[in-house]
Amino acid sequence: RIIDLTSMISGPLGTMILADQGADVIKVESPNGDTTRSVSTRRGGFSASFLNNNRNKRSVCIDLKHEGGRAVLLRLLADADVLVQNFRPGVMQRMGLDEASVRAVSPQIVYVSISGFGEVGPYAHKPVYDPLVQALSGLATIQAGSDDERPRLVRTIVPDKLTGVTCSQAITAALLARERTGKGQHVRLSMLDSVVAFLWG
């Protein structure tokens, strides 16, 4: 069972891959819902972007800004195997949902944090968008085809998608490690690291 607090693309795609493989994914949304519910082409009240990254999941609305909402989430986490979140670094701590607080109710949980640029450093608390990661990682230069050409944007959200695939694989590996050791890990991923590791040179 995966409790999915993520929104946008990278986190939802990662948990959807696992949902496609049979995981029970419970997507927790704020009262405003995942931002992708209201973007792109919509039919029947659903956007293509939302459906492309959230199939095979159950969804529940919980206001985590209120103590009652936090209590509901902790009850869901008590028998969960994985928690995945992609808030900016520091937000989970402010909500009282840091790793230590979650482990108090679910000691063996795999706790997954996705960020744009990592949890420390000069860019840690900055907002992240796919084109920024394309530029900083060098992906836009590779797309141009030569160091003599101007960087060019890849016309699909490769960093977001690549981070989602990396997330699903990392969760699978962490669950296997827990099966062998009895211990849950804290998996930390950043979009920038995912792309740089993919390019490796």
Side-chain angles (χ1 to χ4, degrees):
R1 175 169 289 175
I2 299 172
I3 305 301
D4 179 3
L5 301 185
T6 66
S7 62
M8 297 302 288
I9 307 297
S10 59
L13 174 60
T15 56
M16 186 198 73
I17 290 169
L18 295 171
D20 287 350
Q21 295 171 352
D24 176 17
V25 179
I26 301 174
K27 183 176 178 71
V28 177
E29 298 183 64
S30 73
N32 294 327
D34 188 325
T35 305
T36 60
R37 282 185 179 272
S38 58
V39 300
S40 186
T41 305
R42 283 191 287 173
R43 288 188 181 167
F46 290 99
S47 73
S49 180
F50 180 82
L51 293 175
N52 277 340
N53 294 289
N54 291 286
R55 64 176 175 254
N56 291 330
K57 301 179 186 179
R58 297 186 286 161
S59 186
V60 62
C61 175
I62 301 176
D63 190 345
L64 296 176
K65 293 181 179 178
H66 292 283
E67 186 59 34
R70 179 178 171 275
V72 169
L73 180 65
L74 289 173
R75 285 207 307 271
L76 285 175
L77 290 168
D79 64 351
D81 298 291
V82 182
L83 166 67
V84 188
Q85 62 88 15
N86 65 348
F87 293 107
R88 282 193 212 175
V91 171
M92 290 292 278
Q93 286 83 351
R94 287 197 298 273
M95 290 192 295
L97 294 167
D98 55 288
E99 182 183 3
S101 300
V102 170
R103 288 206 187 282
V105 298
S106 185
Q108 295 179 310
I109 200 164
V110 172
Y111 190 105
V112 183
S113 300
I114 303 170
S115 63
F117 307 110
E119 297 180 11
V120 296
Y123 295 105
H125 297 283
K126 293 189 179 296
V128 63
Y129 302 97
D130 195 273
L132 293 176
V133 176
Q134 289 196 34
L136 284 169
S137 67
L139 179 60
T141 299
I142 292 171
Q143 170 73 2
S146 167
D147 289 339
D148 298 324
E149 299 291 331
R150 289 174 56 93
R152 294 179 189 164
L153 186 71
V154 179
R155 298 304 296 267
T156 185
I157 49 176
V158 171
D160 271 308
K161 293 174 179 177
L162 185 58
T163 304
V165 172
T166 303
C167 173
S168 65
Q169 190 279 328
I171 290 170
T172 302
L175 288 171
L176 177 60
R178 189 184 72 174
E179 192 70 21
R180 292 176 172 173
T181 67
K183 295 180 181 179
Q185 300 180 26
H186 189 163
V187 176
R188 294 175 172 90
L189 302 168
S190 82
M191 288 176 63
L192 183 59
D193 285 345
S194 296
V195 177
V196 170
F198 178 73
L199 297 175
W200 55 270

